[in-house]
């Protein structure tokens, strides 16, 4: 009986691999670079499962693990490719959040340029920018006080596409809320102050990060 269960599991896993990887080759082999196709297929194989929760957990682990072997831009191309064949990957906030944490952990001094990176362009429910805010909050960027980080954060939100600026400003709101200890009035006031000092900062978007 144990042998049969093992064999059934192998069959299910193989079917999951075929269902995820075959469409990637069929639909994208001629449209995307070989390195993106290779990475997408590798993640699809590693995360093959008939259980959606298991695939989600695997994606949250394997997508960040692609860095630094692949650039941030390439990794978001991988995410886009996987989204075409697996609806689980449409909910990519956690993988994107952990990806930016992985980038910051390797080079904490790069956090401002990473925040302005257009690669995510609003994808994954702003998870990439939120991961940077989280890294700052937990002290993953040494020798940067919160007050100084807030000012630099707000300045960085002036760069990039509209979606990148939106994600950045929303993440700034979340950061302000977190470092205020959950004092929403203090965080709201800080959003307003920063908006007045930096004309590019949309106070409503900053507010949206508090909820």
């Amino acid at each position: 009986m144990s042998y049969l269960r093992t064999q059934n599991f192998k069959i299910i896993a193989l079917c999951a691999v075929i269902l995820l990887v075959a469409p990637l080759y069929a639909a994208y082999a001629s449209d995307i670079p070989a390195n993106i196709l290779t990475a997408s297929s590798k993640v699809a194989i590693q995360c093959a499962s008939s259980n959606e929760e298991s695939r989600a957990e695997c994606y949250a682990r394997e997508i960040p693990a692609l860095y630094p072997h692949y650039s941030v831009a390439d990794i978001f191309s991988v995410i886009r490719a996987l989204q075409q064949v697996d609806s689980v990957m449409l909910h990519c906030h956690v993988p994107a959040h952990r990806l930016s944490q992985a980038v910051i952990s390797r080079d904490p001094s790069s956090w401002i340029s990473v925040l302005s990176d257009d690669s995510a362009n609003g994808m994954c429910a702003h998870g990439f920018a939120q991961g940077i805010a989280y890294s700052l909050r937990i002290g993953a960027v040494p020798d940067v006080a919160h007050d100084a980080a807030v000012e630099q954060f707000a300045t960085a939100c002036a760069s990039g596409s509209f979606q990148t600026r939106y994600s950045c400003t929303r993440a700034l709101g979340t950061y302000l809320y977190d470092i205020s200890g959950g004092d929403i009035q203090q965080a709201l006031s800080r959003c307003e102050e920063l908006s007045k000092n930096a004309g590019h900062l949309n106070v409503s978007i900053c507010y949206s990060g508090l909820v």
Side-chain angles (χ1 to χ4, degrees):
M1 184 66 70
S2 175
Y3 172 78
L4 289 175
R5 280 199 298 268
T6 301
Q7 291 303 107
N8 287 338
F9 175 80
K10 288 180 178 178
I11 291 170
I12 290 171
L14 178 60
C15 289
V17 169
I18 293 170
L19 287 172
L20 287 172
V21 178
L24 278 171
Y25 276 93
Y28 299 101
S30 61
D31 296 328
I32 65 174
N35 65 324
I36 303 302
L37 184 62
T38 299
S40 303
S41 300
K42 177 184 175 183
V43 173
I45 290 169
Q46 289 174 321
C47 297
S49 169
S50 59
N51 183 281
E52 291 189 355
E53 185 175 339
S54 294
R55 294 205 305 280
E57 291 174 357
C58 183
Y59 288 143
R61 180 179 66 252
E62 296 301 328
I63 291 295
L66 292 173
Y67 187 83
H69 308 292
Y70 292 83
S71 68
V72 170
D74 282 347
I75 294 171
F76 275 101
S77 292
V78 169
I79 291 173
R80 291 184 187 94
L82 290 169
Q83 287 176 333
Q84 299 300 316
V85 296
D86 189 358
S87 60
V88 169
M89 198 62 212
L90 294 173
H91 307 286
C92 55
H93 180 91
V94 175
H97 193 289
R98 293 183 182 175
L99 172 59
S100 59
Q101 287 180 255
V103 176
I104 299 302
S105 69
R106 295 188 71 88
D107 183 6
S109 66
S110 71
W111 73 271
I112 297 175
S113 61
V114 174
L115 191 57
S116 303
D117 192 318
D118 274 336
S119 300
N121 200 29
M123 285 177 63
C124 304
H126 317 295
F128 191 72
Q130 293 284 348
I132 299 168
Y134 178 78
S135 294
L136 286 166
R137 180 173 69 80
I138 65 172
V141 180
D143 303 321
V144 178
H146 288 314
D147 286 344
V150 165
E151 296 294 336
Q152 292 172 296
F153 207 125
T155 299
C157 291
S159 303
S161 68
F162 170 79
Q163 288 292 347
T164 298
R165 298 195 309 272
Y166 184 100
S167 294
C168 179
T169 305
R170 183 179 173 86
L172 174 59
T174 302
Y175 181 47
L176 291 171
Y177 177 77
D178 288 341
I179 63 175
S180 73
D183 186 333
I184 195 164
Q185 288 303 321
Q186 180 181 329
L188 287 169
S189 297
R190 197 74 175 98
C191 277
E192 292 171 2
E193 179 186 339
L194 289 166
S195 180
K196 289 176 182 176
N197 294 340
H200 64 272
L201 198 72
N202 186 303
V203 69
S204 297
I205 298 173
C206 187
Y207 286 167
S208 72
L210 307 182
V211 294

